[in-house]
């Protein structure tokens, strides 16, 4: 089977150039005498890899020196707990904005530790828009305000960050990091599962103000969740996910070679623009998301019936496009078009939508 | 730089055949149209990979059906906490045998949740032997007895498991799993960081009696630590470390092709035997470990002075052998000879030791 266009929400498409580089060096990493997969995490070769990965992320995201960059395990889901356990005292208030499944899961997981205050929700319209947050609803003594900045399942993005006064803003940018030009300094903490724009699954990247995380955590919290421990040990308190860190470095360097994150956003806007355009002009396809909230990395769309949906997915698959099925919790279709998905893929998808609308069936 | 012999304690040597297989398929996994690194964890291709990995581990380790096999993130260190948080009520007694750094860390991490009872320790002789455990020292109401079955840093192994009555036995077999023919049924739970005999870092494998882990955990515990959640969701409550699971499958299938775990143990005994033999007959090299406690995967050895040690490590490196330095906490030398380290590597090391002893310096 030839390589296809992969619209998966995550793990997701990786640029072919990056895959080729990883493949070339997989058997014997230059200068190391062994594969990255076998490399001691205490070796100079690996120290260079982790240092370069961090430095490249800092350059392409303009991360200031007073922010730490941490490589954590357990995916974003473990961060749902870690955010609460690091930033809040047990039972302290913390604010959550509900914009979909992951923000809700984050709130539920956080609620094991904090007293959650739901400051906004778009559940009333099936999470199809980003709800405003009234700054007055955020208690001054809240430990943080948590948002899921890009909602993978529902295809929405915070294009404007909420006002949050002196309460730290924590944003889950899993599905748009490196694909949207994020202003790090407007956040107190950002975290993201790697398996979208930063390589394979198995890692979460945390970018946090050092002053926010430089604190001892409650003694009951597992040490692997402690941001301070991770920071003080250069993300190597225990053996880190070396290959994931290496891949994140390759991805970041690829972004840099392409012209940086603004260039990525430009390309993603072009892809998303083409797709929204055809959806908005269709009589049978539609996108339910409010115009000002549309994601440029995850585009959801529906057809009138399940039969239509199945027929369209089959036709797209036959044309070499996979993983266009919507999340199992919502159905419909979804095109995740991360940095690794080339423009050509979107063009093929648009063509397929037009042909389907014109009555073609394959 | 050519490929060398890698004696790293972990991440560690992977058989060349496995690396070549991973390299071949890295760009486009057969039948998937994409790399394993890009593959949706909800795709049939990945479901086959995780199912096959589990099935192969079950076959080669003779894991009975009443044991679950879980793929967890966060390394063995997160399991130090997870063991306590899953198996014990908060404040319940739990027994620990101290045989080195990792068993001590495990006890310290567990102590955040349980009341630890230290039932044995070999700290009196720098952890150079496996201490006996008096069964009478294990309270009947203890949640578990925890041992670190192979001690990577100190080069010791429990060749006989302790008596533990009705108290569940939990063993950290990180550095010898698949390298020693373990009787799973004599344990209630086994866990192991993958980065020794099961591929790259970034994953821990948990093998546990289903009846032991089929319980709700305390509501404060992060959901990613819950064995029940992992078991009920086929290790995919969130996006799993897909590439690590794939690599563990390749490693397990390689073991099976070689003749299984007994064959691995035979080869490891041969390698370790050769090395212990030359050390025991040396006037300047020595191994400090009690004869009945010697590990066949991690062999520690010392030279009279730091100068000698440095000179030996330099000479070995010049001959294409890396990562022979002892753990930074103990110094000296250490040869970790996992399944991926060929006999040829040990032969070269033995030759180097003999030459060094004969006065050669390179």
């Amino acid at each position: 089977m030839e390589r296809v266009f992969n619209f998966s929400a995550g793990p997701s498409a990786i640029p072919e150039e990056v895959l080729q580089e990883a493949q070339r060096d997989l058997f014997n990493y230059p200068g190391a005498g062994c594969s990255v997969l076998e490399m001691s995490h205490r070796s100079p070769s690996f120290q260079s890899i982790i240092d370069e990965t961090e430095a490249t992320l800092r350059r392409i995201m303009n991360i200031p020196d007073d922010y730490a960059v941490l490589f954590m395990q357990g995916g974003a889901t473990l961060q749902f707990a870690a955010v609460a356990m690091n930033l809040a005292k047990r039972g302290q208030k913390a604010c959550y904005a509900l914009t979909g499944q992951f923000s809700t899961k984050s709130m539920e997981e956080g609620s094991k530790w904090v007293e959650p205050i739901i400051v906004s929700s778009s559940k009333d319209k099936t999470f199809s828009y980003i709800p405003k947050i009234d700054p007055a609803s955020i208690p001054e003594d809240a430990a943080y305000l948590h948002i899921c900045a890009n909602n993978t399942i529902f295809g929405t993005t915070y294009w404007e960050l909420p006002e949050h006064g002196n309460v730290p803003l924590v944003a889950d940018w899993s599905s748009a990091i490196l694909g949207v030009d994020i202003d790090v300094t407007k956040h107190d903490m950002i975290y993201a599962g790697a398996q979208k724009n930063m390589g394979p699954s198995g890692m979460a990247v945390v970018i946090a103000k050092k002053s926010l995380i430089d604190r001892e955590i409650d003694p009951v919290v597992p040490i692997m969740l402690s941001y301070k421990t991770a920071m003080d040990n250069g993300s190597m308190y225990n053996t880190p996910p070396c290959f994931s860190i290496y891949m994140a470095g390759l991805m970041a360097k690829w972004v840099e070679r392409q012209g940086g994150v603004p260039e990525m956003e430009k390309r993603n806007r072009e892809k998303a623009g083409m797709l929204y355009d055809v959806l908005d002009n269709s009589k049978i396809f539609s996108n339910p998301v409010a115009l000002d909230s549309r994601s440029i990395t995850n585009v959801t769309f529906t057809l009138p019936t399940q039969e239509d949906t199945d027929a369209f997915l089959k036709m797209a698959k036959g044309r070499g496009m996979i993983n266009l099925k919507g999340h199992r919790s919502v159905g419909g279709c979804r095109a995740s078009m991360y940095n690794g998905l080339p423009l050509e893929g979107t063009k093929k998808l648009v063509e397929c939508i037009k042909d389907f609308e014109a009555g073609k069936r394959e």
Side-chain angles (χ1 to χ4, degrees), chain A:
Chain A
M1 188 178 180
E2 291 287 293
R3 275 183 61 86
V4 294
F5 289 112
N6 181 9
F7 291 86
S8 173
S12 46
I14 292 176
E16 295 201 341
E17 201 177 308
V18 169
L19 286 176
Q20 280 156 347
E21 200 178 344
Q23 185 177 40
R24 187 193 64 210
D25 294 340
L26 198 76
F27 189 66
N28 192 359
Y29 185 81
C34 64
S35 170
V36 179
L37 301 169
E38 307 168 289
M39 200 180 273
S40 168
H41 58 298
R42 305 285 176 201
S43 65
S45 293
F46 185 71
Q47 193 62 54
S48 293
I49 287 173
I50 192 169
D51 289 347
E52 264 185 50
T53 300
E54 179 178 336
T56 312
L57 284 173
R58 285 188 181 276
R59 280 196 306 276
I60 62 175
M61 290 186 70
N62 294 313
I63 303 172
D65 287 345
D66 60 332
Y67 283 71
V69 176
L70 310 176
F71 304 107
M72 310 289 287
Q73 294 185 61
T77 304
L78 191 56
Q79 296 313 308
F80 298 166
V83 164
M85 290 175 141
N86 277 275
L87 307 187
K89 290 196 175 67
R90 193 161 179 189
Q92 192 179 350
K93 285 177 191 140
C95 299
Y96 285 88
L98 302 190
T99 52
Q101 182 176 301
F102 290 108
S103 56
T104 306
K105 280 195 171 185
S106 188
M107 187 269 291
E108 286 165 359
E109 191 67 5
S111 303
K112 296 174 170 180
W113 193 258
V114 300
E115 182 193 330
I117 315 273
I118 297 172
V119 291
S120 72
S121 171
S122 49
K123 201 177 175 184
D124 59 334
K125 291 186 182 167
T126 329
F127 300 120
S128 60
Y129 68 103
I130 296 295
K132 290 270 173 282
I133 298 171
D134 178 3
S137 66
I138 305 171
E140 277 178 28
D141 58 347
Y144 54 84
L145 164 63
H146 178 280
I147 62 169
C148 181
N150 186 89
N151 297 278
T152 325
I153 296 175
F154 298 95
T156 61
T157 301
Y158 278 83
W159 290 109
E160 209 171 313
L161 293 173
E163 279 181 47
H164 53 99
N166 290 319
V167 172
L169 176 65
V170 177
D172 174 357
W173 272 107
S174 291
S175 299
I177 195 166
L178 302 190
V180 164
D181 195 16
I182 301 164
D183 185 345
V184 172
T185 65
K186 289 193 172 155
H187 304 74
D188 297 274
M189 179 179 149
I190 287 169
Y191 68 95
Q195 70 275 14
K196 325 278 185 174
N197 278 328
M198 295 191 291
S201 59
M203 186 168 75
V205 174
V206 170
I207 301 163
K209 267 191 189 156
K210 290 176 182 169
S211 57
L212 182 68
I213 60 173
D214 190 19
R215 53 169 95 171
E216 299 302 333
I217 51 171
D218 187 287
V220 82
V221 177
I223 197 160
M224 289 303 293
L225 271 68
S226 162
Y227 294 144
K228 182 173 166 54
T229 299
M231 177 167 67
D232 291 348
N233 290 277
S235 297
M236 291 206 269
Y237 174 75
N238 75 340
T239 314
C242 299
F243 188 71
S244 300
I245 293 169
Y246 162 71
M247 285 298 301
L250 294 191
M251 294 289 276
K253 282 186 257 182
W254 179 85
V255 168
E256 195 168 38
R257 286 200 301 278
Q258 302 302 304
V261 181
E263 172 65 22
M264 290 295 108
E265 178 169 335
K266 193 181 139 218
R267 292 186 195 176
N268 291 331
R269 281 195 183 279
E270 188 183 354
K271 289 183 282 183
M274 281 174 58
L275 184 52
Y276 283 123
D277 203 46
V278 71
L279 295 173
D280 290 344
N281 288 301
S282 167
K283 288 200 173 64
I284 58 166
F285 290 86
S286 69
N287 167 276
V289 176
L291 289 181
D292 65 353
S293 305
R294 284 175 163 183
S295 169
I296 58 169
T297 45
N298 310 93
V299 178
T300 60
F301 53 97
T302 54
L303 288 107
T305 67
Q306 187 59 46
E307 209 184 345
D308 292 330
T309 306
D310 293 342
F312 175 73
L313 290 171
K314 182 172 163 271
M315 182 159 150
K317 197 172 180 187
R319 292 184 179 196
M321 289 172 279
I322 63 168
N323 293 316
L324 281 162
K325 205 170 168 178
H327 189 268
R328 58 209 161 107
S329 64
V330 295
C333 300
R334 172 177 51 171
S336 293
M337 301 179 294
Y338 299 114
N339 294 346
L341 196 273
L343 179 62
E344 199 194 338
T346 308
K347 282 185 178 164
K348 267 192 105 159
L349 174 59
V350 165
E351 195 182 282
C352 190
I353 290 174
K354 284 181 177 168
D355 286 349
F356 192 89
E357 174 134 21
K360 262 201 192 171
R361 295 294 180 272
E362 289 164 14

